[in-house]
Amino acid sequence: SDKQNPVASWLHRELGITRCVSVPVSHCYHSFAVVLDGTSFGRVVYSGDCRPSDRLVKEGRNADVLIHEATFENGMEEEAVLKMHSTVAEALSVGKRMNAKACILTHFSQRYPRIPPLREEDSQLPFPVAFAFDFMQVKPQNISRASKLTSALRMLFPEDTSEAEDGMA
């Protein structure tokens, strides 16, 4: 049809977005991921809350940045399946299968106040992995640097908080 979608027109005019595709994902009713082309990053894929999705892998192929939820640590796969979320390894697998150039992990469980550990094999991934935090801002040129902050972030969220609590009493 010769009628243009008004939202698509606005996205292009105001933000330079040349393509916006919503991808149904497994979480709750009416949950979607989104693939955006034409951003300052190039192709950006945002998973939203979900289980790993083959359809998202296909739609987001060759993403410049994948932002994927990783609510649960590795080893908590059963809970991730039950609650319709992803583990760190599952999110990184989506990035690898998608051929993403960078991956930012987000949406960590509040019950586990620390940066989740990566598996040994995750250090061999062909893309940088950054852990998102509140108010984080990244630019295309600094995603690789953001991925190097992981060890510093781990110090802010130590494995054992009992010492910190004892010192505050």
Side-chain angles (χ1 to χ4, degrees):
S1 119
D2 56 351
K3 286 192 173 188
Q4 178 97 13
N5 177 323
V7 174
S9 296
W10 184 89
L11 286 171
H12 187 260
R13 183 179 64 252
E14 298 296 323
L15 303 174
I17 304 296
T18 56
R19 180 173 173 259
C20 178
V21 177
S22 61
V23 180
V25 292
S26 296
H27 184 62
C28 60
Y29 188 63
H30 281 156
S31 292
F32 295 90
V34 66
V35 178
L36 301 169
D37 287 327
T39 74
S40 61
F41 289 87
R43 174 172 281 181
V44 173
V45 178
Y46 178 66
S47 73
D49 289 357
C50 68
R51 293 289 303 140
S53 167
D54 290 337
R55 187 165 174 193
L56 183 60
V57 168
K58 181 181 175 191
E59 288 291 338
R61 191 97 186 115
N62 297 316
D64 293 288
V65 180
L66 167 64
I67 304 166
H68 203 291
E69 73 111 305
T71 301
F72 292 100
E73 292 182 12
N74 299 326
M76 300 183 77
E77 289 77 13
E78 286 183 30
E79 193 165 355
V81 169
L82 284 172
K83 298 196 175 177
M84 304 298 282
H85 286 285
S86 299
T87 66
V88 170
E90 289 172 328
L92 294 174
S93 174
V94 168
K96 189 172 183 181
R97 292 172 33 225
M98 183 182 287
N99 195 35
K101 293 178 185 72
C103 185
I104 300 174
L105 299 177
T106 188
H107 197 324
F108 311 110
S109 175
Q110 294 301 309
R111 285 174 279 166
Y112 311 102
R114 64 190 183 117
I115 303 297
L118 292 175
R119 302 171 306 170
E120 182 69 30
E121 59 264 35
D122 295 334
S123 64
Q124 305 303 314
L125 289 167
F127 50 80
V129 177
F131 289 86
F133 52 87
D134 290 348
F135 307 110
M136 179 181 185
Q137 294 182 21
V138 292
K139 296 179 180 177
Q141 63 270 25
N142 69 15
I143 289 179
S144 185
R145 272 185 273 161
S147 73
K148 292 173 177 45
L149 292 174
T150 302
S151 58
L153 290 172
R154 285 192 206 293
M155 286 191 253
L156 293 174
F157 300 99
E159 189 85 24
D160 183 351
T161 58
S162 60
E163 285 182 29
E165 290 170 5
D166 291 344
M168 299 202 37

